[in-house]
């Protein structure tokens, strides 16, 4: 690592990343951003599945390398080593890496790594301090533990789709693989907590992360609304189950979202809208009343909001501190002056692809800065360097490459 990387909060922590797709790589990218040395173990030849999940692709000028943008969303700041650990010698290489690792992240099916001797019980025997994080669809226990888990499926089973979409339409998934992303964030938190526990006790541990568990937990107020009433909430489109008005409205030339969070904001909105009497109406004066009389109030507001343009509403409501905003495309999001001021778009160097765009980590530390060292690696680009650091000489590495053990 370079000297700048040493400033990271997790500098000196070594992570072995055996995960693929999104949830595991999202977790390990977070650790890498915090300064950890993350070695991504991939299959020789094809690597992580998401390398081919395009278009769109990033492609080198000579056409020798083509990698999907999807892969680049969750693998920056890592090194790549290509090992076939279905081969006994490949398994031995992974175990060599484990001896020096602090953390291992994997998302194979339940029991999938045991046949290679790479499960937690096997690896704990050679590194008792190892923090081993397994990410699966349904967890290591329970009747569904052997099932494969996919974000779309988990959004459906975990209740998210039941509250997403228009009331008279079909249930809808969120437009990104949100359950995978949330699982990655929970996993990164769990790993760091386990490292702190190890700092106090000297003991590593096993972390069982399940996408379905995460999705159920992430239902937040909607889950508690159900537990408090035993009435399952339904789909409200862009409306909020507990706050009114808190949804999208059509203006004369587009749409805005209105996010009135308290009664004072509602009063100020009504003043701007020219309907101050609505804020004095006992049906609408409090949020509790507005929720109870949602079906009466919302059509009235829709008629008023439709009179003026999007920009008129955004200007006038911002002036009186009533939360509102445009519904941006991603183009508009990245062109937004505030998003640009917060430097949410970055560029990272890549040896064959040149300067590659990246979305910044949203965390801002005052001391241990988030690291932006390198773009996601080419498949197996660090195999030789990592193995040489373990003590393998050039001839041994060439032999293993010839035999297909490494790539």
């Amino acid at each position: 690592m370079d000297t700048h990387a040493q400033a990271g909060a997790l500098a000196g922590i070594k992570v072995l990343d055996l995960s693929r797709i999104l949830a595991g790589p999202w977790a390990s990218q977070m650790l890498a951003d915090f300064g950890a040395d993350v070695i991504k173990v991939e299959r020789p030849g094809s690597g992580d599945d998401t390398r081919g999940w395009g278009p769109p692709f990033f492609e080198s000028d000579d056409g020798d390398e083509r990698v999907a943008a999807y892969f680049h969303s969750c693998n920056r700041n890592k090194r790549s080593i290509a090992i076939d650990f279905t081969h006994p010698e490949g398994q031995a290489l992974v175990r060599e890496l484990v001896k020096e690792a602090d953390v291992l992240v994997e998302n194979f099916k339940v029991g999938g790594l045991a046949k290679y001797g790479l499960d937690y019980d096997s690896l704990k025997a050679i590194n008792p301090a190892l923090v081993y994080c397994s990410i699966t669809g349904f967890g290591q226990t329970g009747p569904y533990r052997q099932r494969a888990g996919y974000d779309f499926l988990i959004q459906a089973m975990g209740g998210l789709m039941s509250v997403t979409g228009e009331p008279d339409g079909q249930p809808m998934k969120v437009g990104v693989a949100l359950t995978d992303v949330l699982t990655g964030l929970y996993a990164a938190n769990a790993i760091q907590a386990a490292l702190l526990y190890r700092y106090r006790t000297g003991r590593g541990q096993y972390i069982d992360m399940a996408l379905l568990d995460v999705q159920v937990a992430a239902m937040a107020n909607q889950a508690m609304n159900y537990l408090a009433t035993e009435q399952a909430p339904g789909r409200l489109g862009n409306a909020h189950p507990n706050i009114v008005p808190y949804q999208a409205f059509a203006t004369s030339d587009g749409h805005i979202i209105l996010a009135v969070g308290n009664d004072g904001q509602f009063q100020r909105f009504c003043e701007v809208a020219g309907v101050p009497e609505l804020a004095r109406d006992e049906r609408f004066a409090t949020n509790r009343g507005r929720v109870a009389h949602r079906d009466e109030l919302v059509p009235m507001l829709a008629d008023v909001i439709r009179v003026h343009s999007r920009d008129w509403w955004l200007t006038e409501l911002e002036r009186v501190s009533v939360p509102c905003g445009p519904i941006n495309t991603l183009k508009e999001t990245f062109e937004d002056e505030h998003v640009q001021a917060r430097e949410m778009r970055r560029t990272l160097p890549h040896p064959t692809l040149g300067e590659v765009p990246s979305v910044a980590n949203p965390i801002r530390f005052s001391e241990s800065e988030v690291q932006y060292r390198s773009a996601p690696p080419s498949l197996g680009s660090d195999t030789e360097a990592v193995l040489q650091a373990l003590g393998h000489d050039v001839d041994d590495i060439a032999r293993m490459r010839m035999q297909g053990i490494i790539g």
Side-chain angles (χ1 to χ4, degrees), residues 55-230:
F57 292 98
F58 294 113
E59 191 164 359
S60 60
D61 291 338
D62 59 12
D64 286 346
E65 181 160 11
R66 188 177 73 163
V67 185
Y70 194 122
F71 178 82
H72 275 253
S73 71
C74 53
N75 286 290
R76 74 169 160 252
N77 290 333
K78 302 178 186 179
R79 297 191 284 165
S80 173
I81 179 170
I83 299 177
D84 178 6
F85 55 74
T86 65
H87 191 287
E89 197 167 350
Q91 296 158 22
L93 290 176
V94 174
R95 282 191 282 272
E96 287 184 57
L97 291 167
V98 166
K99 290 177 182 178
E100 299 184 354
D102 298 288
V103 177
L104 185 146
V105 182
E106 60 92 5
N107 62 345
F108 286 78
K109 290 182 180 179
V110 172
L113 290 178
K115 60 186 174 183
Y116 306 124
L118 301 178
D119 55 302
Y120 176 63
D121 287 338
S122 298
L123 298 183
K124 178 176 67 172
I126 62 175
N127 184 352
L130 182 68
V131 173
Y132 189 115
C133 180
S134 291
I135 299 173
T136 58
F138 298 95
Q140 303 295 311
T141 61
Y144 302 160
R145 63 187 181 278
Q146 294 295 340
R147 293 186 185 181
Y150 297 92
D151 181 275
F152 187 18
L153 173 66
I154 301 298
Q155 286 195 35
M157 294 183 68
L160 184 58
M161 289 179 63
S162 75
V163 298
T164 306
E166 294 296 330
D168 56 353
Q170 64 174 297
M172 296 294 292
K173 69 178 180 66
V174 178
V176 296
L178 185 63
T179 309
D180 278 340
V181 170
L182 289 172
T183 301
L185 294 175
Y186 271 99
N189 273 276
I191 289 165
Q192 291 172 94
L195 288 171
L196 286 172
Y197 180 82
R198 190 186 71 175
Y199 177 77
R200 294 199 311 271
T201 68
R203 297 195 299 272
Q205 62 181 296
Y206 182 78
I207 300 170
D208 173 9
M209 293 294 311
L211 271 67
L212 184 59
D213 294 350
V214 168
Q215 183 56 79
V216 173
M219 291 305 292
N221 60 299
Q222 290 282 40
M224 290 307 300
N225 289 346
Y226 166 71
L227 293 177
T229 65
E230 295 193 352

Side-chain angles (χ1 to χ4, degrees), residues 109 148 178 281 340 351 354 377 392:
K109 290 182 180 179
L178 185 63
D281 191 312
Q340 291 182 352
H392 295 270

Side-chain angles (χ1 to χ4, degrees), residues 162-308:
S162 75
V163 298
T164 306
E166 294 296 330
D168 56 353
Q170 64 174 297
M172 296 294 292
K173 69 178 180 66
V174 178
V176 296
L178 185 63
T179 309
D180 278 340
V181 170
L182 289 172
T183 301
L185 294 175
Y186 271 99
N189 273 276
I191 289 165
Q192 291 172 94
L195 288 171
L196 286 172
Y197 180 82
R198 190 186 71 175
Y199 177 77
R200 294 199 311 271
T201 68
R203 297 195 299 272
Q205 62 181 296
Y206 182 78
I207 300 170
D208 173 9
M209 293 294 311
L211 271 67
L212 184 59
D213 294 350
V214 168
Q215 183 56 79
V216 173
M219 291 305 292
N221 60 299
Q222 290 282 40
M224 290 307 300
N225 289 346
Y226 166 71
L227 293 177
T229 65
E230 295 193 352
Q231 298 293 316
R235 299 186 301 281
L236 293 173
N238 288 312
H240 194 287
N242 302 111
I243 311 172
V244 175
Y246 198 101
Q247 64 186 78
F249 287 96
T251 69
S252 64
D253 63 351
H255 288 80
I256 62 168
I257 64 101
L258 181 62
V260 169
N262 58 53
D263 298 337
Q265 290 174 0
F266 184 66
Q267 292 169 9
R268 297 197 298 276
F269 165 79
C270 290
E271 292 289 339
V272 169
V275 287
E277 67 277 6
L278 290 183
R280 296 191 295 268
D281 191 312
E282 64 178 12
R283 294 172 297 171
F284 312 135
T286 66
N287 182 68
R288 182 173 182 175
R290 292 192 294 276
V291 171
H293 297 280
R294 179 197 305 267
D295 292 344
E296 300 166 66
L297 177 61
V298 169
M300 296 181 192
L301 300 183
D303 288 342
V304 171
I305 292 172
R306 197 175 288 112
V307 171
H308 297 292

